Amino acid sequence: MELLRFQQACLAFGTHPILDHVDFSLFSGERVCLVGRNGAGKSSFLKLLTGQQNLDDGQIVVNTGVVLSRLEQDPPAKMEMKIADFIREGAGDLAQIAQQFYTLSENLDGASDADYRLFEQLQAQMDTRDGWGLESRVADLCQQFDMNPDASLATLSGGWLRKAALARALAARPDILLLDEPTNHLDVAAIQWLEQFLLNFSGAIIFISHDRAFIRALASRIIDLDRGQLTSHPGNYQEYLDRKQKMLEDEQQHNALFDKKLADEEVWIRQGIKARRTRNEGRVRALKALRRERAERVETLGKVDFNIEQADRSGKLVFETKAISCGFNGKTVIDKLDLLVMRGDRIALVGPNGVGKSTLIKLLLGDYKHDSGEIKRGTNIEVAYFDQHRIALDLEATVQDNVAEGKQEIMQNGKSRHVLSYLQDFLFPPARARTPVKALSGGEKNRLLLAKLFARPSNLLILDEPTNDLDVETLELLEDILQQYQGTVLLVSHDREFVNNTVTSSLLFAGQGKIIEIAGGYDDVIAYQQRNQTTAAVQKVTKNSPPTVEQTPVQASVSSAKKLSYKEKRELEELPALIEQLETQLAALQFTVNDAEFFKQGGEQTQSTLNQLQHTESKLAQAYARWEELDA
């Protein structure tokens, strides 16, 4: 069923077209990903649907009774408000109606006729809009999201604030859920939870994301916003990338032929007096039409083209720690860590929010003091630090002044270069370079911070969530640059694909201060965790088995189960074979999922395999539990 549609929709800011006579329809159950370059107008598209922005021309038709709800790009501010009250506000004016109704109902004794009439009106609205179920809905959402309804928003971390905002968006029971960069500020575990939650959501979804693994797992259709045109691409993300590349190549070919024809006609019109006497007036009109068409052509945006200004090489040793420990308020954050970081290493710090990744970076740089152990720092280290909160940017200053600090020239590769020319490599044209930073989008601010960092020599890059808000093309180019970088990289990122494509090893923060070094990227971390879970389950079963060497597990189990029924004895005898079979299936599925090509498949195919993996893990855990139960 069609839920909404755009009809010849037009929107522009100045001379910059956002939507140019666009048609679009959304149907029940669709999960549509809106992609496009930073500044293409993706957030404006969502604002049109929520009424925060109006069209210049055309119309948006939303079916009667369809409810839309939006998850904002930034998490809510920390404030002294109960989580339940915050979620309840997501129901809009219904929450106010319910509050007014319950307040009035407590004070009906001696109420005026006007109060009674208002009470009846409010009661009618509560009946019509199911206001009676609002409180139970809020309680169910708190339980589903594992949040204490009486806790304050001020006590929540960024990831939990994001969850609270999603619960708030669901309070209105939307038919269409609008999500603007939903994975920002979430750790990997929270992203995977969100993926599963949205896959089970019964309504339609329109979401903006640059997290390629998230898009592959969730999207059933891609819509591409490019220079005012909206193109629909059914199917998975990889198919969209292939079609998009072909479209751009065809467009480039068409433009080249068009420009050649226009150049030939311009030569003809200037041939002189003889040509003017014999020229065809129809051909002249056609030339004028060609000129108009060329003037109206919206050129494709260029690609970001940046290079990192590299300092002289650091010493071969960058950092070495010996049994360092650090804690705050009685809580151990890092416990006896031995770590060796050599020049050229590219290391990802992996783990949930708040586990101590930033603390380790501060310890290595000397910004924090450790409680015990020893830290040795190498020589000639020049640090470039990308901070996810962008504190290095002056929001009131212009783009140009943030990079050049009021000067007109910067030094790059030993040569002087005008700052406006340098900024064009980062897709900031001169007019945009003179704009205050506070007027930029989130992606543009991140791109500016990269421009500021890469203009200065460095041999140690520390990147804290550099992928937030960046478009996919910039992400891919940043991956290439980091792979060519001759210095050392420490990376904190929850973008699984970005980590896989850039690092040589990972530090897994396993909790309770334990940090484990693993060769490879995020997929290798997952494989390590799965191996550990399987080993731990086997050890748990083995621990409860009789200690005699001569008996097999089956024999030991049967001999210790004299009080079991015949059926239970048979079940106990068959369980080892079942467990072995499930472990073989699980190993095969894990091998498939860990393959580098796995997430390049269609969303349905990958999700089916992931569901099968989860189902097999669950069956294996149940089989172990049953074996323990019968064996005891």
Side-chain angles (χ1 to χ4, degrees):
M1 183 180 78
E2 186 182 62
L3 300 178
L4 65 82
R5 66 180 178 275
F6 282 50
Q7 294 178 333
Q8 292 295 293
C10 295
L11 176 67
F13 298 133
T15 59
H16 179 53
I18 301 298
L19 299 176
D20 186 6
H21 298 89
V22 162
D23 293 322
F24 165 72
S25 292
L26 178 71
F27 298 91
S28 300
E30 283 198 295
R31 297 188 301 271
V32 175
C33 180
L34 176 61
V35 299
R37 298 292 294 269
N38 293 139
K42 300 185 296 297
S43 294
S44 297
F45 184 92
L46 296 189
K47 288 178 181 177
L48 287 168
L49 293 172
T50 57
Q52 296 170 274
Q53 180 75 47
N54 295 321
L55 287 174
D56 298 331
D57 196 13
Q59 61 178 331
I60 299 173
V61 180
V62 180
N63 281 8
T64 305
V66 170
V67 178
L68 293 91
S69 191
R70 181 183 179 191
L71 176 68
E72 299 287 345
Q73 185 171 4
D74 295 318
K78 292 190 175 186
M79 54 182 143
E80 291 298 335
M81 175 187 277
K82 288 184 178 179
I83 291 174
D85 293 338
F86 177 73
I87 293 173
R88 191 181 296 108
E89 287 183 353
D93 64 332
L94 181 59
Q96 298 171 0
I97 290 169
Q99 179 64 41
Q100 193 176 2
F101 173 82
Y102 290 125
T103 302
L104 195 57
S105 65
E106 294 172 0
N107 300 284
L108 279 179
D109 293 337
S112 64
D113 291 341
D115 287 339
Y116 272 110
R117 285 194 297 271
L118 176 59
F119 179 78
E120 289 173 355
Q121 292 171 7
L122 293 172
Q123 189 175 34
Q125 291 189 63
M126 292 282 284
D127 290 336
T128 305
R129 300 176 59 183
D130 190 25
W132 310 111
L134 179 59
E135 288 307 311
S136 63
R137 223 156 46 237
V138 171
D140 288 345
L141 285 167
C142 288
Q143 184 177 6
Q144 187 177 3
F145 284 60
D146 196 23
M147 292 185 292
N148 178 1
D150 296 321
S152 171
L153 283 180
T155 64
L156 300 183
S157 65
W160 282 101
L161 284 170
R162 200 77 169 155
K163 276 192 173 184
L166 179 58
R168 175 189 172 101
L170 294 169
R173 295 197 301 185
D175 302 290
I176 303 172
L177 191 57
L178 308 176
L179 307 174
D180 195 348
E181 293 289 357
T183 61
N184 279 2
H185 312 287
L186 295 184
D187 56 39
V188 173
I191 291 172
Q192 291 174 326
W193 174 89
L194 180 62
E195 282 177 4
Q196 196 58 49
F197 179 86
L198 294 176
L199 285 168
N200 295 328
F201 178 66
S202 58
I205 300 172
I206 301 178
F207 68 100
I208 299 170
S209 180
H210 300 128
D211 185 327
R212 290 157 291 180
F214 184 77
I215 297 173
R216 287 190 171 96
L218 195 62
S220 60
R221 176 160 63 116
I222 310 291
I223 53 174
D224 180 84
L225 184 57
D226 184 12
R227 293 164 285 162
Q229 297 301 312
L230 200 65
T231 312
S232 179
H233 300 268
N236 62 48
Y237 184 62
Q238 188 57 48
E239 290 173 350
Y240 152 73
L241 292 177
D242 295 339
R243 282 196 294 266
K244 176 72 172 178
Q245 182 62 33
K246 180 69 167 57
M247 286 170 60
L248 290 175
E249 290 172 357
D250 291 345
E251 180 183 350
Q252 188 175 11
Q253 219 170 28
H254 170 78
N255 288 345
L257 292 172
F258 178 94
D259 291 344
K260 184 177 185 306
K261 180 178 180 181
L262 177 59
D264 291 342
E265 294 300 289
E266 292 288 3
V267 169
W268 168 79
I269 199 70
R270 291 175 174 80
Q271 280 181 344
I273 189 68
K274 180 179 177 182
R276 286 199 295 275
R277 282 201 309 268
T278 61
R279 68 187 177 191
N280 183 319
E281 290 303 322
R283 191 172 177 182
V284 173
R285 288 193 295 272
L287 172 58
K288 290 180 179 178
L290 287 174
R291 287 172 175 170
R292 282 195 301 273
E293 186 178 342
R294 179 63 185 85
E296 291 171 359
R297 183 198 299 170
V298 181
E299 296 286 2
T300 183
L301 288 170
K303 289 190 175 182
V304 181
D305 181 19
F306 51 70
N307 291 292
I308 302 177
E309 177 75 1
Q310 300 200 28
D312 294 338
R313 293 205 306 177
S314 66
K316 189 173 182 181
L317 172 72
V318 181
F319 297 114
E320 183 179 12
T321 71
K322 294 181 179 178
I324 64 163
S325 296
C326 179
F328 300 98
N329 301 321
K331 179 184 176 183
T332 301
V333 178
I334 296 171
D335 185 25
K336 297 178 182 177
L337 172 66
D338 293 325
L339 177 66
L340 185 64
V341 180
M342 305 297 288
R343 182 180 63 225
D345 285 348
R346 298 193 300 275
I347 303 173
L349 280 62
V350 178
N353 290 333
V355 78
K357 300 187 292 294
S358 297
T359 299
L360 177 57
I361 290 174
K362 299 289 187 184
L363 285 172
L364 294 176
L365 294 179
D367 296 337
Y368 287 170
K369 290 191 177 297
H370 50 288
D371 299 332
S372 60
E374 179 185 350
I375 299 178
K376 183 178 180 181
R377 299 178 182 90
T379 58
N380 195 33
I381 295 176
E382 295 287 341
V383 181
Y385 197 144
F386 183 102
D387 172 46
Q388 63 170 316
H389 302 295
R390 311 184 189 113
I391 58 175
L393 296 180
D394 182 350
L395 299 182
E396 299 300 325
T398 64
V399 171
Q400 176 180 344
D401 287 342
N402 263 275
V403 172
E405 298 176 349
K407 302 174 184 176
Q408 296 296 314
E409 306 284 332
I410 62 169
M411 295 299 294
Q412 190 179 32
N413 298 323
K415 298 178 182 178
S416 178
R417 186 178 180 188
H418 199 283
V419 64
L420 293 181
S421 170
Y422 173 73
L423 284 170
Q424 287 187 70
D425 291 348
F426 292 80
L427 299 185
F428 290 107
R432 198 64 172 163
R434 299 185 179 94
T435 302
V437 173
K438 62 184 179 183
L440 302 182
S441 67
E444 288 175 313
K445 287 175 183 174
N446 273 13
R447 215 185 315 134
L448 173 59
L449 187 51
L450 289 173
K452 183 180 176 74
L453 290 181
F454 294 169
R456 289 160 177 71
S458 70
N459 49 37
L460 172 61
L461 269 181
I462 298 178
L463 303 175
D464 189 356
E465 292 293 352
T467 62
N468 283 350
D469 304 315
L470 288 182
D471 58 55
V472 173
E473 289 182 7
T474 307
L475 279 178
E476 291 175 346
L477 182 58
L478 182 56
E479 288 173 359
D480 292 340
I481 292 296
L482 292 181
Q483 288 166 1
Q484 298 166 22
Y485 184 58
Q486 299 301 307
T488 307
V489 179
L490 296 180
L491 169 67
V492 178
S493 177
H494 301 307
D495 186 322
R496 293 157 287 180
E497 195 156 331
F498 186 80
V499 170
N500 282 336
N501 292 341
T502 52
V503 303
T504 55
S505 63
S506 302
L507 295 179
L508 171 62
F509 286 68
Q512 299 180 334
K514 299 300 180 186
I515 301 174
I516 303 158
E517 187 168 8
I518 299 166
Y522 181 76
D523 286 348
D524 300 283
V525 171
I526 292 298
Y528 169 85
Q529 290 175 319
Q530 290 172 343
R531 285 196 304 271
N532 267 21
Q533 288 171 357
T534 303
T535 303
V538 171
Q539 287 175 345
K540 188 175 180 181
V541 173
T542 306
K543 181 180 177 182
N544 293 328
S545 298
T548 54
V549 178
E550 294 81 4
Q551 287 181 312
T552 65
V554 175
Q555 293 170 330
S557 299
V558 173
S559 65
S560 64
K562 293 179 180 178
K563 294 184 181 180
L564 298 180
S565 67
Y566 174 76
K567 184 177 179 182
E568 287 171 331
K569 288 179 181 178
R570 288 292 305 273
E571 183 183 0
L572 185 58
E573 291 172 358
E574 293 169 356
L575 273 171
L578 175 62
I579 288 172
E580 185 177 355
Q581 179 186 353
L582 289 171
E583 286 180 339
T584 303
Q585 291 176 6
L586 186 61
L589 288 167
Q590 288 171 346
F591 181 80
T592 301
V593 171
N594 292 333
D595 188 272
E597 300 295 316
F598 174 72
F599 284 102
K600 296 180 180 179
Q601 303 176 87
E604 292 183 6
Q605 189 173 350
T606 56
Q607 191 56 48
S608 173
T609 306
L610 290 171
N611 290 340
Q612 191 178 353
L613 176 66
Q614 185 179 5
H615 180 65
T616 306
E617 287 175 339
S618 176
K619 286 180 66 177
L620 181 59
Q622 291 172 7
Y624 275 127
R626 182 62 173 159
W627 189 13
E628 277 192 73
E629 180 186 351
L630 294 176
D631 190 51

